[in-house]
Amino acid sequence: MSVPTGFPVEPWSVRETALDVDHIAQSESVFALSNGHIGLRGNLDEGEPHGIPGTYLNSFYEARPLPYAERGYGYPESGQTLVNVTNGKLIRLLVDDEPFDVRYGQLLSHERELDLRAGTLVRDVDWVSPVGKRLRVRSTRLVSFTQRAVAAVEYVVEAVDQPVRLIVQSELVANEVVSEQRADPRVAAVLERPLVALERDLSAHGATLLHRTRLSGLQMAAGMDHLLEAPGRVEDETRASDDWARTTVVCTLRPGERLRLVKLLAYGWSSQRSVPALRDQAAAALTGARYSGFEGLLAEQRAYLDDFWDAADVQVEGDPEIQQAVRFGLFHVLQAGARAEGRCIPAKGLTGPGYDGHTFWDTEALVLPVLTYVHPEAAADALRWRHAILDRARERASSLGLAGATMPWRTIRGEECSGYWPAGTAAFHVNADIAAAVERYRVVTGDDQLEVDGGLELLVETARLWMSLGHHTRDGAWHVAGVTGPDEYTAIVNDNVFTNLAAAHNLRTAAAGVLRHPGLGRRLGVDLEEASRWRDAAAAVHLPYDEELRVHQQSAGFTHLPEWDFEGRRDYPLLLHAPYVDLYRRQVAKQADLVMAMYWFGERFSPEDKARNVDYYERRTVRDSSLSACIQAVMTAEVGHLGLAHEYAYEAAMIDLRDLHHNTRDGLHVASLAGAWIAMVAGFGGLRECGEQLSFDPQLPETITRLQFSVRWHGLRLAVDVEHHEVTYTLRDGDDASVTLLHAGEEVEVTPAAPVTRALEKRLPQLPRPVQPPGREPARRR
C-alpha cells in the first residue's frame, strides 16, 4: 500500500499543499477537529469526494449483537458502535448551475492547514468551473473548546474574473451512507440507518433535527444557524425533512466581490432528557454562538490554546519533524479529552470509526499520564467516568465469579463490548492500569479530592478483584494465574510480570488510600485485616526469572517457548497473517510488555537487569501495536541506546503523519500520539514518579541538541531545559513556592528565584545496540 508523501515540516501547523484523492481518508483523520464532545472528520466542505464521512458525539452509540458460533458462560452478548451522527459540515456550492467539485473543471490550487495554535482547519481553493468561471473559496472550521456544544464554519466565496451567480446549500444530513470497510478486525462495524427521526424545527435562518438510535434508545439534536454577508440582492430559504435540513442562499457576485457565510452548529445528546429539552439545548447553544460571533469564537479558541501551550509545549531543537509531530500529537490528545466530561476517551478520539469508537486500557496507560502532567482537569474527568461505570464493572466481576470490579476490556458506556477473546477477556491488567492512573493523579496534582469523590472506591474494588484472582503458594509467594498482559500475542499465562507488578501496586495504593481516609475506608467495608492481606500479597508477588539467561520472563515459562520463525514468517502485522493459536505458543511479542513493566516499576529491576531484558525482548518484539514504540523509546534511552530511542520516538510521533501502520484512514492513534510526549519527556527527560517525589535523569541523543518542556506539579509549572552537558530546572509559579525533586538520585530544591542547573554525564550502554526482528526495525527519520 502506498503512503502519502507527507506534509511540509512546520513547527505549529500541518499543511496539505495539494489534494491527494487517493489518500483523502488519511487526511480526513489528520485534519479532524474535536473538543472531546463533538468530533468532525476533516471531510471537504462540499462532502465529496470523501473517504469516510464522519461526525461523532462522544459515547453516542448504537447497540448490536455479538455473534458466536458456540456460546459460553459469561460471554458478552452485545456490542456498541459509535454512530456517524447528523452531518453539519456540508456546504455545497453551485456556480451558474455547475456544482463546485474539485474533480471537475480546473483545480488551480488546493491547500488545507491545521493550525495548532488557533485550533482551526483552514482550506483555500482556487478553481475554474467547467465553463471558465474562476472562484476562490476559503473556509475556516473550528470545534469550540470553550462552548462545548458548538462548532462553526466560515465560508467565503470570491468571484475572480467574471460575474457569477452563486447558490450555496448549507445542510444537516442524517443517516449518511457509509461504505463497507476493509476486512480488518480493527475497523468499525457498519451501521445501516441507525437514526430514527423524532422531530424537526425550522427557524428564520436554520433548522434543528432530532433523532434517536433504534436499539440503544439514545436521543440527539443537531442544529444550525447562519450569519450572511453579501453585496446586492440576496435571498435565502430553509426547508427540512426527516433526515435533512437545508438553508439555501442565492446571490450574484461581480469580480472581486465576496459572499461570506458563517454556519453555526450545535450538538447535544442524552439517554434521559426529553426531546423538548434537547431541542432547547441546541437552540441555547446556537444563541450563545451567535452572541459570540465567529470572530469571538476564534478569539476564545486562541486564548484557550494559548493557555494550554504555555504549560504543555515541548520544544525540540535538532529534529524539526519530531518538533512538528509532538505538537500535533499533543493537540489531538487535548482534542480527545478536553471536554469529554464524564464520558470516555476513545482509542481513536473522535477522529474516525476505528475500533467502533471504544476505549481501552490505552487511555489510562498512555493518554492520562500526559493529561495528568499538562491538563489535569481532563485526566480527572476521565477517571470520574471510570467511577461512573463501577456498578457495571461489579456486575461483570460477579458474572465471572470474581470479587470487586472487572473493568471492560473495550467499551463505550461501561458494558464489556469485546466478544470472548483470550487476549482481551483475560487482560485484567486494565483494572490495575486504572488504579495506577488514580494514584498518579493524586501524586502529581497533590489533590486528594478525586480520591474522596470515587478514586478510593476504584482502588478498593480493583484491589478486591486481584485478591480473588491471585493466590499464595506453599512457599509464601503470591501468583496471578490465567491472565493476558499487554502483549496480546501471549495469552492466558501465569505470572505475567507486568500484571503482577501492576496488581501489587494496585494493592499497595488501595491499602495506603484507606489509611489516608479511614472513615471512607470503613464505609467501603475495608477493615484492618483486609488491608493487611493486600499489603502481604503485594510484598510476596512473584516475578519469574530465567537464571540461565539472566533475564526476567515476560510470563512464567516464556523463555522456554519455541522461537518464532522471523526469517520465514514476516508478514506484518502478524495478527492478519497468522492464527493466534500459533502466536500464543511462541516467543514473539506484539508490543512492549516486560519492557513496559520496567518503565512503570523501574525500582524492581537493577540497571543490569534492564540492560539484559531490553536486549532480549528487542529481538522478539514486532510492534504490531501502535502502543509499543514509545515504551521502547523510554527504556532504550534509559539503558543508553539513545540513537535507537530517537528512532522509536520518531516512529511513535509520526505514526499518523506518515501513516506508518497503513490504517490512519480509520482514525488517529491517540495513545501513540500521547506516547510521543512520553518518549520525549520520560525517555530523554528521564521523568519518573519516585514514590511521591518528582524525579528526572535526562540524556539527549546526539541529533537532538536541546529539549525544553514543562510539567504541572502540585498546581505549579516546572520548566525543564535539557542540553547535552547540563539541565536547568525552573519553577514558573508562586513567589514563595518550592519544589523538591530528584535529579539523578540527588535531592534538589527549586524556587522561582533560584533555578537549579546540574551537569550531565554521558550515559553509556552496557551492551551493544540490540537488533530487531527482520523487517521490524524502527521507522527511519527522513
Side-chain angles (χ1 to χ4, degrees), residues 697-714:
D697 190 5
Q699 190 84 184
L700 297 181
E702 290 183 5
T703 42
I704 293 179
T705 57
R706 190 177 187 183
L707 174 67
Q708 296 172 282
F709 60 89
S710 294
V711 296
R712 292 187 183 271
W713 182 260
H714 290 210

Side-chain angles (χ1 to χ4, degrees), residues 144-289:
S144 177
F145 286 115
T146 57
Q147 300 189 38
R148 181 172 181 259
V150 170
V153 183
E154 180 189 54
Y155 193 79
V156 179
V157 184
E158 178 186 357
V160 176
D161 54 3
Q162 299 180 57
V164 293
R165 179 169 57 88
L166 301 181
I167 299 176
V168 179
Q169 297 172 313
S170 178
E171 302 186 48
L172 296 173
V173 178
N175 288 316
E176 288 181 296
V177 176
V178 179
S179 60
E180 290 286 341
Q181 302 300 308
R182 298 163 295 126
D184 183 332
R186 298 165 293 185
V187 303
V190 174
L191 302 174
E192 293 187 8
R193 300 189 63 79
L195 299 175
V196 178
L198 296 175
E199 186 178 299
R200 58 184 183 268
D201 183 39
L202 272 64
S203 62
H205 302 285
T208 299
L209 300 181
L210 294 106
H211 289 81
R212 68 167 172 81
T213 52
R214 295 180 183 276
L215 299 178
S216 62
L218 305 180
Q219 297 180 156
M220 65 155 293
M224 65 177 178
D225 197 4
H226 299 88
L227 308 172
L228 181 63
E229 298 174 10
R233 178 187 167 199
V234 180
E235 294 187 6
D236 69 285
E237 65 173 15
T238 299
R239 296 182 180 181
S241 184
D242 284 350
D243 282 349
W244 61 266
R246 178 187 302 125
T247 294
T248 304
V249 176
V250 183
C251 71
T252 300
L253 298 183
R254 298 186 181 91
E257 291 183 333
R258 296 180 177 183
L259 162 72
R260 177 178 181 261
L261 178 76
V262 172
K263 183 176 190 177
L264 305 175
L265 295 168
Y267 287 94
W269 74 268
S270 178
S271 60
Q272 298 178 336
R273 281 177 291 135
S274 65
V275 168
L278 279 171
R279 182 191 60 223
D280 292 348
Q281 178 191 357
L286 288 172
T287 300

Side-chain angles (χ1 to χ4, degrees), residues 490-546:
T490 311
I492 314 296
V493 297
N494 298 331
D495 289 324
N496 170 258
V497 169
F498 177 86
T499 301
N500 281 15
L501 287 175
H505 180 262
N506 193 162
L507 293 166
R508 285 194 302 271
T509 55
V514 169
L515 283 178
R516 282 191 299 274
H517 307 283
L520 181 54
R522 286 191 295 272
R523 288 197 294 275
L524 295 172
V526 182
D527 56 24
L528 293 176
E529 182 180 352
E530 183 176 21
S532 178
R533 289 197 300 270
W534 293 347
R535 287 189 290 268
D536 289 345
V541 67
H542 177 66
L543 305 182
Y545 187 80
D546 189 315

Side-chain angles (χ1 to χ4, degrees), residues 48 50 78 153 219 339 443 631 753 772:
E48 298 178 13
H50 65 249
S78 64
V153 183
Q219 297 180 156
R339 303 300 303 273
V443 169
I631 303 302
Q772 291 71 45

Side-chain angles (χ1 to χ4, degrees), residues 64-87:
R64 57 183 177 84
L66 292 175
Y68 298 95
E70 182 177 346
R71 296 202 55 78
Y73 179 79
Y75 285 13
E77 296 182 355
S78 64
Q80 300 165 354
T81 295
L82 191 69
V83 173
N84 176 31
V85 300
T86 307
N87 183 0

Side-chain angles (χ1 to χ4, degrees), residues 106-143:
Q106 184 180 5
L107 187 61
L108 301 178
S109 67
H110 191 285
E111 183 173 289
R112 289 188 288 176
E113 179 190 13
L114 180 66
D115 189 323
L116 305 177
R117 287 181 292 191
T120 56
L121 176 62
V122 178
R123 180 188 183 204
D124 282 296
V125 187
D126 195 343
W127 180 75
V128 180
S129 74
V131 296
K133 300 289 184 75
R134 184 178 177 187
L135 295 177
R136 293 193 182 100
V137 179
R138 180 179 178 88
S139 67
T140 304
R141 182 186 299 175
L142 66 83
V143 175

